[in-house]
Amino acid sequence: IWLLFAGTLLSSTGQALVWPFLTIFIREQLDIPLSRITLLFTLQSIAGFAATATISPLMDRFGRKWLMVIGVVASSAVLIAMSQAATYPQWAALLPLYGVVNAIFRIGSYAMVADLVSAERRAGTYALLRMGDNLGIAVGPALGGFLAAVAYELSYFLAAGVQLALAVFTSAVIAETLPRQSEGPAVMTAFSAGGGMGYGPLLRDRAFLAIWGLYILMQIANSMVFVLLGVYVKENYAIAENRFGFIIGANALMVVFFQYAVTRISSRRPPLSTIAAGGVFQAAGLGVFAISRGFAAFLGGMIVFTVGELLLVPTATALVANIAPPQMRARYMGVFSLSFRVGSGIGPVVGGLLNDHIAPAATWYGAMAFCGIAVA
């Protein structure tokens, strides 16, 4: 588990050097409407959706580790290619490729936790991985913001190097955890009963599908924040990338310092109540964004928004892991991770349309509506 924590930290640091600034970079480079840029993220989400639907059954069949290694090596190659992209068609090809490769390590690590940890301890363990993830997000955007001020390409090169380091780390020290290697014929029988490589039992699991649908609504709002907030604060309130990096960093540091303690307390409550409470805090933070005018106000909105994340994410992840049959864990965790893909495919486009055709602040009122529906 601690090795997975270290791997998650590496993965997150590398990716966070780039993703908070992608919308700003493409907007400045191509000088096109925001709604057109957000279509690129929809393509990314569709590609990620299709890839996850394929990769998760392969992890259940052949193992987690080596697919994770392949994923991070491929991610490094795509980041190098992105550093040279200069046209809309090039971005339209590369962002979907990035969507295919950049979630593989997370899916594998979440499945490994479900393999290794008993049901009553999973929420705390996912909280621990989320701390590693957000420690990387605390470091990555702050460093990426300063690199972007010099040359955006530097962020891509450093991110690619970190991904290669993660590939070496995973190959050398993380062990395979696929249950049937240790549990033998009983798990092979369960694997066959669970639908082999298919998704039939999952698609008939109404409890899972209900949780997944509600979580997608919250991820639509979440994606608006992490895709559009950077360009919103820069274009409307002259908050540059290096200062915006500290707003994202505040989100990450709160998770690092408070996630485990919050999860230990919230795990004593019914999970759906905790998830709903998280949605209320997220909606409140979005409301603060809508009325903010300066750096301190946006930072305060991010703090409120992050309280919602602290309640929401580990609780929902553990709930899904507890629902998943052992022989289908990677598929359940993979489909659950697609909530982010679906949210990223819908949220930025909706936010871009609201920005372009109504008003920039309408983005955050629209995001509040998605959270409110989910909570209700």
Side-chain angles (χ1 to χ4, degrees):
I1 295 301
W2 283 109
L3 292 173
L4 285 175
F5 173 88
T8 299
L9 172 59
L10 271 175
S11 175
S12 175
T13 301
Q15 293 186 27
L17 288 166
V18 170
W19 63 258
F21 312 104
L22 268 175
T23 309
I24 301 172
F25 179 48
I26 298 172
R27 172 88 152 177
E28 292 182 351
Q29 184 187 55
L30 303 182
D31 192 24
I32 57 177
L34 192 59
S35 54
R36 193 174 175 208
I37 294 172
T38 56
L39 287 174
L40 296 172
F41 293 95
T42 299
L43 292 175
Q44 182 186 57
S45 297
I46 292 170
F49 193 106
T52 301
T54 304
I55 291 163
S56 299
L58 292 175
M59 283 188 175
D60 279 330
R61 180 69 178 87
F62 299 109
R64 312 357 178 157
K65 174 177 176 174
W66 292 109
L67 283 167
M68 292 161 72
V69 172
I70 292 169
V72 293
V73 171
S75 179
S76 178
V78 172
L79 284 163
I80 293 294
M82 287 166 67
S83 72
Q84 305 303 310
T87 67
Y88 192 85
Q90 288 174 335
W91 284 110
L94 288 170
L95 280 182
L97 277 177
Y98 192 56
V100 168
V101 299
N102 73 351
I104 296 175
F105 186 89
R106 182 188 301 269
I107 295 167
S109 62
Y110 277 20
M112 284 182 166
V113 168
D115 294 338
L116 296 170
V117 179
S118 60
E120 65 273 9
R121 296 182 59 205
R122 283 178 186 152
T125 307
Y126 286 124
L128 180 67
L129 289 195
R130 189 164 147 71
M131 288 168 62
D133 195 16
N134 280 269
L135 184 57
I137 294 172
V139 174
L143 178 57
F146 285 108
L147 292 175
V150 179
Y152 276 105
E153 293 83 358
L154 294 176
S155 297
Y156 293 104
F157 292 142
L158 182 56
V162 172
Q163 295 296 88
L164 287 178
L166 176 60
V168 173
F169 176 85
T170 305
S171 302
V173 302
I174 293 182
E176 181 58 69
T177 65
L178 188 66
R180 61 190 181 84
Q181 290 190 348
S182 60
E183 296 175 18
V187 175
M188 281 301 293
T189 301
F191 181 81
S192 300
M197 296 279 283
Y199 283 87
L202 181 150
L203 295 175
R204 294 189 292 271
D205 189 336
R206 293 184 180 180
F208 167 75
L209 293 176
I211 295 162
W212 189 54
L214 296 173
Y215 196 71
I216 284 172
L217 292 176
M218 295 186 184
Q219 287 300 312
I220 290 172
N222 189 72
S223 70
M224 290 184 182
V225 174
F226 290 104
V227 173
L228 299 176
L229 185 61
V231 71
Y232 176 80
V233 299
K234 181 173 184 178
E235 292 189 352
N236 295 287
Y237 301 105
I239 297 173
E241 291 93 331
N242 55 354
R243 298 188 75 201
F244 173 66
F246 286 109
I247 295 174
I248 296 292
N251 168 275
L253 287 172
M254 284 182 66
V255 175
V256 171
F257 288 111
F258 302 119
Q259 180 67 84
Y260 194 75
V262 169
T263 301
R264 290 193 66 178
I265 295 169
S266 64
S267 62
R268 301 169 192 164
R269 306 292 303 167
L272 291 180
S273 298
T274 302
I275 291 170
V280 170
F281 275 98
Q282 286 196 322
L286 292 162
V288 175
F289 291 152
I291 62 174
S292 294
R293 297 293 181 269
F295 175 82
F298 283 108
L299 181 62
M302 182 59 79
I303 290 169
V304 176
F305 182 84
T306 304
V307 172
E309 280 196 306
L310 295 176
L311 294 168
L312 174 65
V313 179
T315 304
T317 306
L319 184 58
V320 171
N322 294 344
I323 289 172
Q327 71 277 8
M328 295 186 68
R329 282 173 182 151
R331 275 168 284 183
Y332 268 73
M333 302 314 294
V335 171
F336 177 70
S337 75
L338 289 176
S339 57
F340 175 76
R341 298 290 179 194
V342 176
S344 297
I346 298 172
V349 172
V350 173
L353 291 170
L354 291 171
N355 177 87
D356 292 347
H357 298 291
I358 300 179
T363 300
W364 313 118
Y365 293 117
M368 285 178 68
F370 283 106
C371 276
I373 292 167
V375 170

